[in-house]
Amino acid sequence: MAVGTTGSPGTTGADGPARSGAGAGAPPPDGGRKPVIEARSIDYVPLAERHGKVWHLFPVWFAGDAHLATVATGAIGVGLGGNLVWTAIAVVLGCALGTFFMAFHSTQGPQLGLPQMVQSRPQFGFVGALLVWLVALTTYIGYNAFNQILVGSTLDHLADVPAGGSYIGYALIAIVLAVVGYDVIHKASRWLTYVVMVALALFTVCVLVVHPFTHAQLDLGSFALTPFLIQMFTAAVYQLSWSIYVSDYSRYLPPSVGVRSSFWWTYLGAGVGGAWMMLVGTVAAGLFPGKSLVESVISAGDRAFGGFGVVLLVVTVLPLLTMGALNVYGGSLTLLSSLDSLGRFRLTVARRIGALCVVAVASTVIAFGASENFVEEFGHFLSVLGTLFTPWTAVNLADFYLVRRGRYSIREIFNPRGIYRRWNWRGLVAYGTGFAVMLPFSVIGDAEGPMARLLGGLDLSMPVGLLVSAGVYLLVCRSLDLPAERLAVAEADAGLETEGA
């Protein structure tokens, strides 16, 4: 579907949905001047406030994906006994698969002008969307705690900085960046992308020139199915988990950027950044098995040329600073969405800042209380995320592209008694069915579902969940009266761009 900007407010033109509606948040900037602190949160971004260029999505997702946590994801296959070349192939394929779905979510931002998770209300209901929001909030906080631990271990290794000081400093930087908001996060990501790309290119060229790999590491005949599939689907789930973020950072773009361009700039940014950085982890783990993540990265960099290891490590840590802002920013939007579903309240800057602080404090508390093997359990965390988010992404994308085709009422999304109802049984049934069907195929830690056990420990839950959840949703939506709903959408959103909400 190609989405454009034709049509009048509340209607759909030949190229897709026209934008309509203004949220219940802060007014647009006075006189066209941008405020220092971002005022909007979960509310709709009117066309008058849309700005930016579609290529800006590339650096925000390259830098968002190219960091030390991604390095850890690329080392999983080697740790399970896979050789270097097949683990590298699994990383590339997994990134290509998971980023495909993530990038389609990104295209929703310019077309709807809303944060990602608020868009779940038409599928799950005004209150029913709490199901996926609570999972998303856990993800934001969990990722941030993991990143804080990585930063803490890195600074402790490099400069003997106490872990507690690193955790608090990281949280404060994340809060400051997130308070200023969307535009600053985008600008910081662009500068980080330039730095990271130079370092990765230098590392790649040096490693290829030095030829440090053994025949066994590059032997295509040494294929092990289980480590290959675990690495591939772990990489895919890691990329898929960014789906809850993407519209948050594309919603200020004008809808005229279209679906195709917003898809490809997101896909290339996240796909290239994620795969490239995961391959650093694959190479580091392959060359230096048994070493910790930080030590293996330093050793791999030094193998390129002396002293480069510390530089490479610092470069992989820097994007974690903006990643902290992304987690706190997205987590606050999800927290506000959840509170809004429980009881309507006015969206103010003070409440937005308060939500940011709550998310940052929660992740910091977890980082302080984490066990020593928290980093090793990251793979298990990704497995849980895959099981929880796969049905959601299938339902959300099926609704946007195949059922409602981007035609939504902004006003009704914020109406607890509106056309999307408090509880939407169609989305909940599809999600529940997909989740239930995934469990027999899942492997989470030492727990294997019966089908996974029959397959020798292979986790095929992701493709199964995508197909079943989307299929069930399309089936139950056959009874949906779309013509009547579109008339209601046109009536509800008439004049919103000029009248406000």
Side-chain angles (χ1 to χ4, degrees), residues 399-412:
D399 187 67
F400 187 87
Y401 288 100
L402 300 176
V403 178
R404 291 185 167 97
R405 298 181 181 273
R407 299 170 174 88
Y408 299 92
S409 165
I410 302 301
R411 272 183 172 156
E412 292 298 285

Side-chain angles (χ1 to χ4, degrees), residues 318-380:
L318 283 176
L320 285 176
L321 298 178
T322 56
M323 196 63 245
L326 263 66
N327 282 318
V328 172
Y329 185 94
S332 70
L333 295 177
T334 303
L335 178 59
L336 290 171
S337 299
S338 302
L339 295 174
D340 184 64
S341 287
L342 296 174
R344 307 310 307 280
F345 60 92
R346 182 174 176 79
L347 298 171
T348 64
V349 172
R351 287 193 171 100
R352 188 177 85 84
I353 295 175
L356 292 170
C357 293
V358 168
V359 174
V361 168
S363 67
T364 304
V365 169
I366 292 174
F368 270 105
S371 62
E372 293 183 357
N373 63 341
F374 184 82
V375 173
E376 285 73 18
E377 294 173 350
F378 185 55
H380 302 165

Side-chain angles (χ1 to χ4, degrees), residues 110-124:
Q111 305 309 319
L112 295 179
L114 293 173
Q116 188 68 66
M117 299 313 294
V118 173
Q119 300 170 27
S120 297
R121 278 177 174 167
Q123 300 98 52
F124 298 95

Side-chain angles (χ1 to χ4, degrees), residues 101 123-124 240 386-399 402-403 425-439 461-477:
F101 297 100
Q123 300 98 52
F124 298 95
L240 180 66
T387 306
L388 294 171
F389 276 121
T390 295
W392 166 77
T393 200
V395 169
N396 183 265
L397 292 180
D399 187 67
L402 300 176
V403 178
W425 66 270
R426 292 179 177 87
L428 295 170
V429 166
Y431 182 97
T433 304
F435 178 79
V437 173
M438 288 179 69
L439 291 179
S461 58
M462 180 181 175
V464 170
L466 287 170
L467 290 173
V468 172
S469 300
V472 171
Y473 189 72
L474 293 175
L475 181 64
V476 297
C477 282

